[in-house]
Coordinates of all heavy atoms in Angstrom, one line a residue:
M1 N -48.0 -0.9 70.7 CA -47.3 0.0 69.7 C -48.3 1.0 69.1 O -49.4 0.5 68.6 CB -46.6 -0.8 68.7 CG -45.7 0.0 67.8 SD -44.8 -1.0 66.6 CE -45.9 -0.8 65.2
P2 N -48.1 2.3 69.2 CA -49.1 3.2 68.6 C -49.0 3.1 67.1 O -48.0 3.0 66.5 CB -48.6 4.6 69.1 CG -47.2 4.4 69.4 CD -47.0 3.0 69.8
V3 N -50.2 3.1 66.5 CA -50.3 3.1 65.0 C -50.7 4.5 64.5 O -51.7 5.1 65.0 CB -51.4 2.1 64.6 CG1 -51.5 2.1 63.1 CG2 -51.0 0.7 65.0
P4 N -49.9 5.1 63.6 CA -50.2 6.4 63.1 C -51.4 6.4 62.1 O -51.1 6.5 60.8 CB -48.9 6.9 62.5 CG -48.3 5.6 62.1 CD -48.7 4.6 63.0
W5 N -52.6 6.2 62.6 CA -53.7 6.1 61.6 C -53.9 7.2 60.7 O -54.3 7.0 59.5 CB -55.0 5.9 62.4 CG -55.0 4.7 63.4 CD1 -54.9 4.7 64.7 CD2 -55.1 3.4 63.0 NE1 -55.0 3.5 65.2 CE2 -55.1 2.6 64.2 CE3 -55.3 2.7 61.8 CZ2 -55.2 1.2 64.2 CZ3 -55.3 1.3 61.8 CH2 -55.3 0.6 63.0
E6 N -53.5 8.4 61.1 CA -53.7 9.6 60.3 C -52.8 9.5 59.0 O -53.0 10.2 58.1 CB -53.5 10.9 61.0 CG -52.1 11.1 61.5 CD -51.8 10.4 62.9 OE1 -52.6 9.6 63.3 OE2 -50.7 10.7 63.4
A7 N -51.7 8.7 59.1 CA -50.8 8.6 58.0 C -51.4 7.6 56.9 O -50.8 7.6 55.8 CB -49.5 8.1 58.4
L8 N -52.4 6.9 57.2 CA -52.9 5.9 56.3 C -53.6 6.5 55.1 O -53.6 6.0 54.0 CB -53.8 4.9 57.0 CG -53.1 4.0 58.0 CD1 -54.1 3.0 58.6 CD2 -51.9 3.3 57.4
I9 N -54.2 7.6 55.3 CA -55.0 8.3 54.2 C -54.0 8.8 53.1 O -54.1 8.4 51.9 CB -55.9 9.4 54.7 CG1 -57.0 8.8 55.4 CG2 -56.4 10.3 53.5 CD1 -57.9 9.8 56.1
P10 N -52.9 9.5 53.4 CA -52.0 9.9 52.4 C -51.2 8.7 51.8 O -50.9 8.7 50.6 CB -51.0 10.9 53.1 CG -51.3 10.8 54.5 CD -52.7 10.3 54.7
F11 N -51.0 7.7 52.7 CA -50.3 6.5 52.2 C -51.2 5.8 51.1 O -50.7 5.4 50.0 CB -50.0 5.5 53.3 CG -49.4 4.3 52.9 CD1 -48.1 4.2 52.4 CD2 -50.1 3.1 52.9 CE1 -47.5 3.0 52.0 CE2 -49.6 1.9 52.4 CZ -48.3 1.9 52.0
G12 N -52.5 5.7 51.4 CA -53.4 5.1 50.5 C -53.5 5.9 49.2 O -53.5 5.4 48.1
L13 N -53.5 7.3 49.3 CA -53.6 8.1 48.2 C -52.4 7.9 47.3 O -52.5 7.8 46.1 CB -53.7 9.6 48.6 CG -55.1 10.1 49.0 CD1 -55.0 11.5 49.6 CD2 -56.0 10.1 47.8
L14 N -51.2 7.9 47.9 CA -50.0 7.7 47.1 C -50.0 6.4 46.4 O -49.7 6.3 45.2 CB -48.7 7.8 48.1 CG -48.2 9.2 48.3 CD1 -47.1 9.1 49.4 CD2 -47.6 9.7 47.1
T15 N -50.3 5.3 47.1 CA -50.4 4.0 46.5 C -51.3 4.0 45.3 O -51.0 3.5 44.3 CB -50.8 3.0 47.6 OG1 -49.9 3.1 48.7 CG2 -50.7 1.6 47.0
A16 N -52.5 4.5 45.5 CA -53.5 4.5 44.5 C -53.0 5.3 43.3 O -53.2 4.9 42.1 CB -54.8 5.1 45.0
M17 N -52.4 6.5 43.5 CA -52.0 7.3 42.4 C -50.9 6.7 41.6 O -50.8 6.8 40.4 CB -51.6 8.7 42.9 CG -52.8 9.5 43.3 SD -54.0 9.7 42.0 CE -55.5 10.0 43.0
F18 N -49.9 6.1 42.3 CA -48.9 5.4 41.6 C -49.5 4.2 40.8 O -49.1 4.0 39.6 CB -47.8 4.8 42.5 CG -46.7 5.8 42.8 CD1 -46.6 6.4 44.1 CD2 -45.8 6.2 41.8 CE1 -45.6 7.3 44.3 CE2 -44.8 7.1 42.1 CZ -44.7 7.6 43.3
G19 N -50.4 3.5 41.3 CA -51.1 2.4 40.6 C -51.8 2.9 39.4 O -51.7 2.4 38.3
V20 N -52.6 4.1 39.5 CA -53.3 4.6 38.4 C -52.3 5.1 37.3 O -52.5 4.8 36.1 CB -54.2 5.8 38.9 CG1 -54.7 6.6 37.7 CG2 -55.3 5.3 39.7
A21 N -51.3 5.8 37.7 CA -50.3 6.3 36.7 C -49.6 5.1 36.0 O -49.5 5.1 34.8 CB -49.2 7.1 37.4
G22 N -49.2 4.1 36.7 CA -48.6 2.9 36.1 C -49.5 2.2 35.2 O -49.1 1.8 34.1
T23 N -50.8 2.0 35.6 CA -51.7 1.3 34.7 C -52.0 2.1 33.4 O -52.1 1.6 32.3 CB -53.0 1.1 35.5 OG1 -52.7 0.4 36.7 CG2 -54.0 0.4 34.6
L24 N -52.1 3.4 33.6 CA -52.4 4.3 32.4 C -51.1 4.2 31.4 O -51.3 4.2 30.2 CB -52.7 5.7 32.8 CG -54.0 5.9 33.4 CD1 -54.2 7.4 33.8 CD2 -55.1 5.5 32.4
L25 N -49.9 4.3 32.0 CA -48.7 4.2 31.2 C -48.7 2.8 30.5 O -48.4 2.8 29.3 CB -47.5 4.4 32.1 CG -46.2 4.6 31.4 CD1 -46.2 5.9 30.6 CD2 -45.0 4.6 32.4
N26 N -49.0 1.8 31.2 CA -49.0 0.4 30.6 C -50.1 0.4 29.5 O -49.8 -0.1 28.4 CB -49.3 -0.6 31.7 CG -49.2 -2.0 31.2 OD1 -48.6 -2.3 30.2 ND2 -49.8 -2.9 31.9
A27 N -51.2 0.9 29.7 CA -52.3 0.9 28.7 C -51.9 1.7 27.5 O -52.1 1.2 26.3 CB -53.6 1.4 29.3
S28 N -51.3 2.9 27.7 CA -50.8 3.7 26.6 C -49.8 3.0 25.8 O -49.8 3.0 24.5 CB -50.2 5.0 27.1 OG -49.5 5.7 26.1
A29 N -48.8 2.3 26.4 CA -47.8 1.6 25.7 C -48.4 0.4 24.9 O -48.0 0.2 23.7 CB -46.7 1.0 26.7
H30 N -49.4 -0.2 25.4 CA -50.0 -1.4 24.7 C -50.8 -0.9 23.6 O -50.9 -1.5 22.5 CB -50.8 -2.2 25.7 CG -49.9 -3.2 26.4 ND1 -49.2 -2.9 27.5 CD2 -49.6 -4.5 26.2 CE1 -48.5 -4.0 27.9 NE2 -48.8 -5.0 27.1
V31 N -51.5 0.2 23.7 CA -52.3 0.7 22.6 C -51.4 1.2 21.5 O -51.7 0.9 20.3 CB -53.2 1.9 23.1 CG1 -53.8 2.7 22.0 CG2 -54.3 1.4 24.0
Q32 N -50.3 1.8 21.8 CA -49.4 2.2 20.7 C -48.7 1.0 20.0 O -48.2 1.2 18.9 CB -48.3 3.1 21.3 CG -48.7 4.4 21.8 CD -47.6 5.2 22.5 OE1 -46.5 5.3 21.9 NE2 -47.8 5.6 23.7
N33 N -48.7 -0.1 20.6 CA -48.1 -1.3 20.0 C -49.1 -2.4 19.6 O -48.8 -3.6 19.6 CB -47.1 -1.9 21.0 CG -45.8 -1.1 21.1 OD1 -45.0 -1.1 20.2 ND2 -45.7 -0.3 22.2
Q34 N -50.3 -1.9 19.3 CA -51.4 -2.8 18.8 C -51.6 -4.0 19.8 O -51.8 -5.1 19.4 CB -51.0 -3.4 17.5 CG -51.0 -2.3 16.4 CD -50.9 -2.9 15.0 OE1 -50.3 -3.9 14.8 NE2 -51.5 -2.2 14.0
G35 N -51.6 -3.7 21.1 CA -51.9 -4.7 22.1 C -50.8 -5.6 22.5 O -50.9 -6.4 23.4
K36 N -49.6 -5.4 21.9 CA -48.4 -6.2 22.3 C -47.6 -5.3 23.3 O -47.7 -4.1 23.3 CB -47.6 -6.5 21.1 CG -48.3 -7.3 20.0 CD -47.6 -7.2 18.7 CE -48.5 -7.8 17.6 NZ -48.3 -7.1 16.3
G37 N -46.7 -6.0 24.0 CA -45.9 -5.3 24.9 C -44.9 -4.4 24.1 O -44.5 -4.8 23.0
P38 N -44.4 -3.4 24.7 CA -43.4 -2.5 24.0 C -42.1 -3.2 23.8 O -41.7 -4.1 24.5 CB -43.2 -1.3 25.0 CG -43.7 -1.8 26.3 CD -44.7 -2.9 26.1
R39 N -41.4 -2.8 22.7 CA -40.1 -3.4 22.5 C -39.0 -2.6 23.2 O -39.0 -1.3 23.2 CB -39.8 -3.4 21.0 CG -40.5 -4.4 20.2 CD -40.3 -4.3 18.7 NE -40.8 -5.5 18.1 CZ -41.3 -5.5 16.8 NH1 -41.2 -4.4 16.1 NH2 -41.8 -6.6 16.3
Y40 N -38.1 -3.3 23.8 CA -37.0 -2.6 24.5 C -35.7 -2.9 23.9 O -35.5 -3.9 23.2 CB -36.9 -3.1 26.0 CG -38.2 -2.7 26.8 CD1 -39.1 -3.7 27.1 CD2 -38.4 -1.4 27.2 CE1 -40.2 -3.4 27.8 CE2 -39.5 -1.1 27.9 CZ -40.4 -2.1 28.2 OH -41.6 -1.8 29.0
N41 N -34.7 -2.0 24.0 CA -33.3 -2.3 23.6 C -33.3 -2.7 22.1 O -32.6 -3.6 21.8 CB -32.8 -3.4 24.5 CG -31.3 -3.4 24.5 OD1 -30.6 -2.4 24.1 ND2 -30.7 -4.5 24.8
T42 N -33.9 -1.9 21.3 CA -33.9 -2.2 19.9 C -32.7 -1.6 19.2 O -32.2 -0.5 19.6 CB -35.1 -1.6 19.2 OG1 -35.2 -0.2 19.4 CG2 -36.4 -2.3 19.7
D43 N -32.1 -2.3 18.3 CA -30.9 -1.8 17.6 C -31.3 -1.5 16.2 O -32.4 -1.4 15.8 CB -29.8 -2.9 17.6 CG -30.2 -4.2 17.0 OD1 -31.2 -4.2 16.3 OD2 -29.4 -5.2 17.2
A44 N -30.3 -1.1 15.4 CA -30.5 -0.6 14.0 C -31.2 -1.7 13.2 O -32.1 -1.3 12.4 CB -29.2 -0.2 13.3
W45 N -30.9 -3.0 13.4 CA -31.6 -4.0 12.6 C -33.0 -4.1 13.0 O -33.9 -4.2 12.1 CB -30.9 -5.4 12.9 CG -31.6 -6.5 12.3 CD1 -32.5 -7.4 12.9 CD2 -31.5 -6.9 10.9 NE1 -32.9 -8.3 12.0 CE2 -32.3 -8.0 10.8 CE3 -30.8 -6.4 9.8 CZ2 -32.5 -8.7 9.5 CZ3 -30.9 -7.1 8.6 CH2 -31.8 -8.2 8.5
D46 N -33.4 -4.0 14.3 CA -34.7 -4.0 14.7 C -35.5 -2.8 14.1 O -36.7 -3.0 13.7 CB -34.8 -4.0 16.2 CG -34.2 -5.2 16.9 OD1 -34.2 -6.3 16.3 OD2 -33.6 -5.0 17.9
E47 N -34.9 -1.7 14.0 CA -35.5 -0.5 13.5 C -35.8 -0.7 12.0 O -36.9 -0.3 11.5 CB -34.7 0.7 13.7 CG -34.2 0.9 15.1 CD -34.6 2.2 15.8 OE1 -34.7 3.2 15.0 OE2 -34.8 2.1 17.0
M48 N -34.9 -1.3 11.3 CA -35.1 -1.6 9.9 C -36.2 -2.6 9.7 O -37.1 -2.4 8.8 CB -33.8 -2.1 9.2 CG -32.8 -1.1 8.8 SD -31.5 -1.7 7.8 CE -30.4 -2.2 9.1
M49 N -36.3 -3.6 10.5 CA -37.4 -4.6 10.5 C -38.7 -3.9 10.8 O -39.7 -4.2 10.1 CB -37.1 -5.7 11.4 CG -36.0 -6.6 11.1 SD -36.2 -7.5 9.5 CE -35.3 -6.5 8.4
M50 N -38.7 -3.0 11.7 CA -40.0 -2.3 12.0 C -40.4 -1.4 10.9 O -41.6 -1.2 10.6 CB -39.8 -1.5 13.3 CG -39.8 -2.4 14.5 SD -40.0 -1.4 16.1 CE -38.3 -1.0 16.4
D51 N -39.4 -0.8 10.2 CA -39.7 0.0 9.0 C -40.3 -0.9 7.9 O -41.3 -0.5 7.3 CB -38.3 0.6 8.5 CG -38.3 2.1 8.5 OD1 -39.0 2.6 9.4 OD2 -37.6 2.7 7.7
R52 N -39.7 -2.1 7.7 CA -40.3 -3.0 6.7 C -41.7 -3.4 7.1 O -42.6 -3.4 6.2 CB -39.4 -4.2 6.7 CG -39.8 -5.3 5.7 CD -39.5 -6.6 6.1 NE -40.0 -7.0 7.4 CZ -39.8 -8.2 7.9 NH1 -39.1 -9.1 7.4 NH2 -40.4 -8.4 9.1
D53 N -41.9 -3.7 8.4 CA -43.3 -4.1 8.8 C -44.3 -2.9 8.6 O -45.4 -3.1 8.2 CB -43.3 -4.4 10.3 CG -42.6 -5.8 10.5 OD1 -42.4 -6.5 9.6 OD2 -42.2 -6.0 11.7
K54 N -43.8 -1.7 8.8 CA -44.7 -0.6 8.5 C -45.0 -0.4 7.1 O -46.1 -0.1 6.7 CB -44.0 0.7 9.0 CG -44.9 1.9 8.9 CD -44.4 3.1 9.6 CE -45.4 4.2 9.6 NZ -44.9 5.5 10.1
R55 N -44.0 -0.7 6.2 CA -44.3 -0.6 4.8 C -45.2 -1.8 4.3 O -46.0 -1.6 3.4 CB -43.0 -0.7 4.0 CG -42.2 0.6 4.1 CD -40.7 0.5 3.6 NE -40.7 -0.2 2.4 CZ -39.8 -1.2 2.1 NH1 -38.9 -1.6 3.0 NH2 -39.7 -1.7 0.9
L56 N -45.1 -2.9 5.0 CA -45.9 -4.1 4.6 C -47.3 -3.9 5.1 O -48.3 -4.3 4.5 CB -45.3 -5.4 5.2 CG -44.2 -6.0 4.4 CD1 -43.6 -7.1 5.2 CD2 -44.7 -6.5 3.0
T57 N -47.5 -3.5 6.4 CA -48.8 -3.5 7.0 C -49.4 -2.2 7.4 O -50.5 -2.1 7.8 CB -48.7 -4.3 8.3 OG1 -47.9 -3.7 9.2 CG2 -48.1 -5.7 8.0
G58 N -48.5 -1.1 7.4 CA -49.0 0.2 7.8 C -48.8 0.5 9.2 O -49.1 1.6 9.6
H59 N -48.3 -0.4 10.0 CA -47.9 -0.1 11.4 C -46.6 -0.9 11.7 O -46.4 -2.0 11.3 CB -49.1 -0.6 12.3 CG -49.0 -0.1 13.7 ND1 -48.2 -0.7 14.6 CD2 -49.5 1.0 14.3 CE1 -48.3 0.0 15.8 NE2 -49.1 1.0 15.6
K60 N -45.8 -0.3 12.6 CA -44.5 -0.8 12.9 C -44.6 -2.2 13.6 O -43.7 -2.9 13.6 CB -43.7 0.1 13.6 CG -44.2 0.5 15.0 CD -43.3 1.4 15.8 CE -43.9 1.7 17.1 NZ -42.9 2.2 18.1
R61 N -45.8 -2.4 14.3 CA -45.9 -3.7 15.0 C -46.8 -4.6 14.2 O -47.1 -5.7 14.7 CB -46.6 -3.4 16.4 CG -45.7 -2.7 17.3 CD -44.3 -3.3 17.5 NE -44.3 -4.7 18.0 CZ -44.3 -5.0 19.3 NH1 -44.2 -4.1 20.2 NH2 -44.3 -6.3 19.7
G62 N -47.2 -4.3 13.0 CA -48.1 -5.1 12.2 C -47.4 -6.3 11.7 O -46.2 -6.3 11.5
Q63 N -48.1 -7.4 11.5 CA -47.5 -8.6 10.9 C -48.5 -9.2 9.9 O -49.7 -9.0 10.1 CB -47.2 -9.7 12.0 CG -46.1 -9.3 12.9 CD -45.9 -10.3 14.0 OE1 -46.7 -11.1 14.3 NE2 -44.7 -10.3 14.6
R64 N -48.0 -9.9 9.0 CA -48.9 -10.5 8.0 C -48.3 -11.8 7.5 O -47.1 -12.0 7.5 CB -49.2 -9.6 6.8 CG -48.0 -9.1 6.1 CD -48.3 -8.1 5.1 NE -48.9 -8.7 3.9 CZ -49.6 -8.0 3.0 NH1 -49.7 -6.7 3.2 NH2 -50.1 -8.5 2.0
S65 N -49.1 -12.8 7.1 CA -48.7 -14.1 6.6 C -48.8 -14.2 5.1 O -48.3 -15.2 4.6 CB -49.4 -15.2 7.3 OG -50.8 -15.1 7.1
D66 N -49.4 -13.2 4.5 CA -49.6 -13.2 3.0 C -48.2 -13.0 2.4 O -47.5 -12.0 2.6 CB -50.5 -12.0 2.7 CG -50.7 -11.9 1.2 OD1 -50.2 -12.8 0.5 OD2 -51.3 -11.0 0.7
P67 N -47.7 -14.0 1.6 CA -46.4 -13.9 1.0 C -46.3 -12.9 -0.1 O -45.1 -12.6 -0.5 CB -46.1 -15.3 0.5 CG -47.4 -15.9 0.2 CD -48.4 -15.3 1.2
V68 N -47.3 -12.3 -0.6 CA -47.3 -11.4 -1.7 C -47.2 -10.0 -1.1 O -48.1 -9.6 -0.3 CB -48.5 -11.5 -2.6 CG1 -48.4 -10.5 -3.7 CG2 -48.6 -12.9 -3.1
A69 N -46.2 -9.2 -1.4 CA -46.0 -7.9 -0.9 C -47.1 -7.0 -1.5 O -47.5 -7.2 -2.6 CB -44.7 -7.3 -1.2
P70 N -47.5 -6.0 -0.7 CA -48.6 -5.1 -1.3 C -48.0 -4.2 -2.4 O -46.8 -4.1 -2.6 CB -48.9 -4.2 0.0 CG -47.8 -4.3 0.9 CD -47.2 -5.6 0.6
E71 N -48.9 -3.6 -3.1 CA -48.6 -2.7 -4.2 C -47.7 -1.6 -3.7 O -47.9 -0.9 -2.7 CB -49.9 -2.1 -4.7 CG -49.7 -1.2 -5.9 CD -49.9 -2.0 -7.2 OE1 -50.3 -3.1 -7.2 OE2 -49.5 -1.4 -8.3
G72 N -46.6 -1.4 -4.4 CA -45.7 -0.3 -4.1 C -44.6 -0.6 -3.1 O -43.8 0.3 -2.7
F73 N -44.6 -1.8 -2.6 CA -43.7 -2.2 -1.5 C -42.2 -2.1 -2.1 O -41.3 -1.7 -1.3 CB -43.9 -3.6 -1.0 CG -42.9 -4.1 0.0 CD1 -43.0 -3.6 1.3 CD2 -42.0 -5.0 -0.3 CE1 -42.1 -4.0 2.3 CE2 -41.0 -5.4 0.6 CZ -41.1 -4.9 1.9
S74 N -42.0 -2.5 -3.3 CA -40.7 -2.6 -3.8 C -40.1 -1.2 -4.1 O -38.9 -1.0 -4.2 CB -40.7 -3.3 -5.2 OG -41.5 -2.7 -6.1
T75 N -40.9 -0.1 -4.1 CA -40.4 1.2 -4.3 C -40.5 2.1 -3.1 O -40.2 3.3 -3.2 CB -41.1 1.9 -5.5 OG1 -42.5 1.9 -5.2 CG2 -40.8 1.1 -6.8
S76 N -41.0 1.6 -2.0 CA -41.3 2.5 -0.8 C -40.2 2.5 0.2 O -40.3 3.1 1.2 CB -42.6 2.1 -0.1 OG -42.5 0.8 0.5
S77 N -39.1 1.8 -0.1 CA -38.0 1.8 0.9 C -37.1 3.0 0.7 O -37.3 3.8 -0.2 CB -37.1 0.5 0.7 OG -36.5 0.6 -0.5
Q78 N -36.2 3.2 1.7 CA -35.3 4.3 1.6 C -33.9 3.8 1.9 O -33.7 2.9 2.6 CB -35.7 5.4 2.5 CG -35.7 5.0 4.0 CD -36.2 6.1 4.9 OE1 -36.7 7.1 4.5 NE2 -36.0 5.9 6.2
W79 N -32.9 4.5 1.4 CA -31.6 4.2 1.7 C -31.2 4.9 3.0 O -31.5 6.0 3.3 CB -30.6 4.7 0.6 CG -30.7 3.9 -0.6 CD1 -31.3 4.1 -1.7 CD2 -30.0 2.6 -0.8 NE1 -31.2 3.1 -2.6 CE2 -30.4 2.2 -2.1 CE3 -29.2 1.8 0.0 CZ2 -29.9 1.0 -2.6 CZ3 -28.7 0.6 -0.5 CH2 -29.1 0.2 -1.8
Y80 N -30.5 4.1 3.9 CA -30.1 4.8 5.2 C -28.7 5.3 4.9 O -27.8 4.6 4.4 CB -30.0 3.7 6.3 CG -31.4 3.2 6.6 CD1 -31.8 2.0 6.1 CD2 -32.3 3.9 7.4 CE1 -33.1 1.5 6.4 CE2 -33.5 3.5 7.7 CZ -33.9 2.2 7.2 OH -35.2 1.8 7.4
T81 N -28.5 6.5 5.3 CA -27.2 7.1 5.1 C -26.6 7.5 6.5 O -27.3 7.5 7.5 CB -27.2 8.4 4.3 OG1 -28.2 9.3 4.9 CG2 -27.7 8.1 2.9
E82 N -25.3 7.7 6.6 CA -24.7 8.1 7.8 C -25.3 9.5 8.3 O -25.5 10.3 7.4 CB -23.2 8.2 7.7 CG -22.5 6.9 7.7 CD -21.0 7.0 7.6 OE1 -20.5 7.9 8.3 OE2 -20.4 6.2 6.9
K83 N -25.4 9.6 9.6 CA -25.9 10.9 10.1 C -24.7 11.9 10.0 O -23.6 11.6 10.3 CB -26.3 10.7 11.6 CG -27.6 10.1 11.7 CD -28.1 10.3 13.1 CE -29.5 9.7 13.3 NZ -29.5 8.4 14.0
T84 N -25.1 13.1 9.6 CA -24.0 14.1 9.5 C -23.9 14.7 10.9 O -24.9 14.8 11.7 CB -24.4 15.2 8.6 OG1 -25.7 15.7 8.9 CG2 -24.4 14.7 7.1
R85 N -22.7 15.2 11.3 CA -22.5 15.7 12.6 C -22.6 17.2 12.7 O -22.5 17.9 11.7 CB -21.2 15.3 13.2 CG -21.2 13.8 13.4 CD -19.9 13.2 13.8 NE -20.0 11.8 13.5 CZ -19.0 10.9 13.8 NH1 -17.9 11.3 14.3 NH2 -19.2 9.7 13.5
Ligands
NAG1 C1 -49.8 -4.3 31.4 O1 -50.8 -4.7 30.5 C2 -50.6 -6.0 30.0 C3 -51.7 -6.3 29.0 O2 -52.9 -5.7 29.4 C4 -50.7 -7.0 31.2 O3 -50.5 -8.3 30.7 C5 -49.6 -6.7 32.1 O4 -49.6 -7.5 33.3 C6 -49.7 -5.2 32.6 N1 -48.5 -4.9 33.4 C7 -48.6 -4.2 34.5 C8 -47.4 -4.0 35.2 O5 -49.7 -3.9 34.9

């Protein structure tokens, strides 16, 4: 069976470039999430919890075990209102 050797170079290039792009996308997503995997399928509750985490730690993926809230936490929240159409 004849093997199309000349097709292996573009095939290798395509494979390598998809791998590079995927790895960079993965790295970007992890850097934006402080080394954790990205969150998928988040609902309004999750968004509120991420807002709270941001107010507590300064980053939406931040976590802390200190039971005392930081200065200004009690006044930094906002009311969510319905979106106008
Ligand atoms: C993405 O990066 C994470 C952490 O570095 C790793 O565990 C995971 O296997 C990677 N996923 C892919 C598809 O490379």
Side-chain angles (χ1 to χ4, degrees):
M1 190 177 94
V3 177
W5 299 107
E6 67 275 11
L8 294 183
I9 290 174
F11 177 73
L13 280 171
L14 273 170
T15 305
M17 288 304 156
F18 271 111
V20 167
T23 302
L24 287 178
L25 192 64
N26 188 17
S28 167
H30 276 82
V31 165
Q32 291 175 53
N33 285 286
Q34 294 190 329
K36 301 163 192 144
R39 284 178 170 151
Y40 297 106
N41 201 19
T42 55
D43 59 12
W45 175 261
D46 299 324
E47 309 238 329
M48 279 191 271
M49 291 295 100
M50 287 192 274
D51 244 28
R52 180 208 59 180
D53 289 344
K54 185 170 185 185
R55 287 166 48 224
L56 277 173
T57 65
H59 194 277
K60 65 177 180 163
R61 293 306 300 268
Q63 294 179 336
R64 56 186 287 162
S65 57
D66 180 6
V68 180
E71 184 90 15
F73 177 76
S74 60
T75 56
S76 65
S77 67
Q78 63 184 8
W79 286 100
Y80 297 100
T81 57
E82 283 185 39
K83 284 194 177 102
T84 55
R85 289 174 202 182

